[in-house]
Amino acid sequence: MMKDERKEQKRKEAFRKWARQHAKLRRNLRKHGGDILQSGNFKSTNSFIQHGSVSVHSHSIRVAECSLKLEKFLEKLGIHCHERDLVRGALLHDYFLYDWHDKYSHEKLHGFHHPHVALENASREYQLTPRERDIIQKHMWPLTLFHIPRCREAWVVTTADKYCSLKETLLERKGRNKNRKKSENHDAKDTG
């Protein structure tokens, strides 16, 4: 087998492995949070932007997937989480149901107040476990200084949320800068 064929074969196998893992993550999301994923209010979060151009809906699913990946890593270290609570808390952590970019739709200082609003909204629709409540209410730590996560599932979601938020924000900025440079190059060609 030639070198290029081996490379291609390795690339295809890596993709198949990723696809299997991703399918397993999605199955776990549906298994533990299918009712949330199908609810009208959760679906409505598609219309609210969270970071850059990423919707609250997409962000919440990303945080749940990242939380599951962190859980698998911790499991290898002998640290176990309640997967159902982890998934449901992650899906509902930003369940505030308004556009936080619209200054008239909510209290000021969204970052400080939205965990409480999300918890109230989720409590009205779902029977939350103490772990799920801890995840939702405390995911903004350390910004919400006195709301320290008490269970490991809340720590996992808090970490996953910070990672996903940073990634979404930086990738959006990178994309904007790339588009701006393309636009400037295009404008320079038009005037030159």
Side-chain angles (χ1 to χ4, degrees):
M1 198 183 292
M2 297 182 69
K3 189 176 184 178
D4 289 340
E5 289 173 342
R6 282 193 303 269
K7 269 186 170 177
E8 183 64 18
Q9 188 176 13
K10 282 184 179 182
R11 188 189 63 75
K12 285 181 181 179
E13 183 52 39
F15 177 77
R16 282 191 288 272
K17 181 179 178 184
W18 174 86
R20 282 190 304 272
Q21 290 171 339
H22 190 72
K24 185 176 181 185
L25 284 176
R26 289 297 172 133
R27 278 192 304 276
N28 285 338
L29 288 181
R30 285 190 303 274
K31 175 183 170 185
H32 300 302
D35 59 328
I36 296 169
L37 294 167
Q38 294 303 313
S39 80
N41 276 339
F42 188 77
K43 288 179 181 180
S44 77
T45 62
N46 253 324
S47 62
F48 305 130
I49 297 298
Q50 181 67 325
H51 304 113
S53 62
V54 177
S55 70
V56 174
H57 184 270
S58 293
H59 169 72
S60 297
I61 290 172
R62 288 175 181 178
V63 170
E65 289 176 344
C66 185
S67 296
L68 284 170
K69 289 176 185 176
L70 283 171
E71 178 207 18
K72 295 305 170 207
F73 172 77
L74 291 172
E75 236 174 45
K76 292 176 184 175
L77 301 175
I79 302 168
H80 300 282
C81 293
H82 290 87
E83 190 172 85
R84 183 178 192 279
D85 292 340
L86 183 76
V87 168
R88 296 178 71 79
L91 289 173
L92 295 169
H93 81 282
D94 279 340
Y95 202 59
F96 45 84
L97 304 175
Y98 58 78
D99 180 0
W100 69 269
H101 299 89
D102 176 3
K103 64 182 179 181
Y104 301 110
S105 69
H106 63 284
E107 292 184 46
K108 291 182 177 17
L109 300 173
H110 165 77
F112 292 96
H113 297 287
H114 82 270
H116 179 70
V117 175
L119 180 58
E120 283 181 354
N121 290 338
S123 295
R124 274 195 289 276
E125 291 184 48
Y126 305 100
Q127 289 284 28
L128 301 175
T129 67
R131 282 187 189 90
E132 292 166 354
R133 297 178 73 77
D134 196 52
I135 291 167
I136 297 166
Q137 188 171 33
K138 304 189 180 153
H139 77 275
M140 285 302 290
W141 187 86
L143 183 62
T144 54
L145 191 60
F146 299 108
H147 294 283
I148 302 168
R150 298 278 184 233
C151 64
R152 65 178 58 121
E153 293 80 5
W155 282 107
V156 169
V157 172
T158 297
T159 303
D161 182 45
K162 302 300 176 271
Y163 172 77
C164 291
S165 299
L166 184 64
K167 189 174 173 184
E168 291 163 2
T169 303
L170 292 178
L171 288 178
E172 177 66 21
R173 179 170 289 147
K174 184 179 177 182
R176 269 198 313 259
N177 288 341
K178 192 176 186 180
N179 289 337
R180 188 180 308 128
K181 287 179 184 178
K182 282 182 184 178
S183 177
E184 288 169 0
N185 288 340
H186 183 59
D187 291 345
K189 287 179 186 176
D190 287 345
T191 59

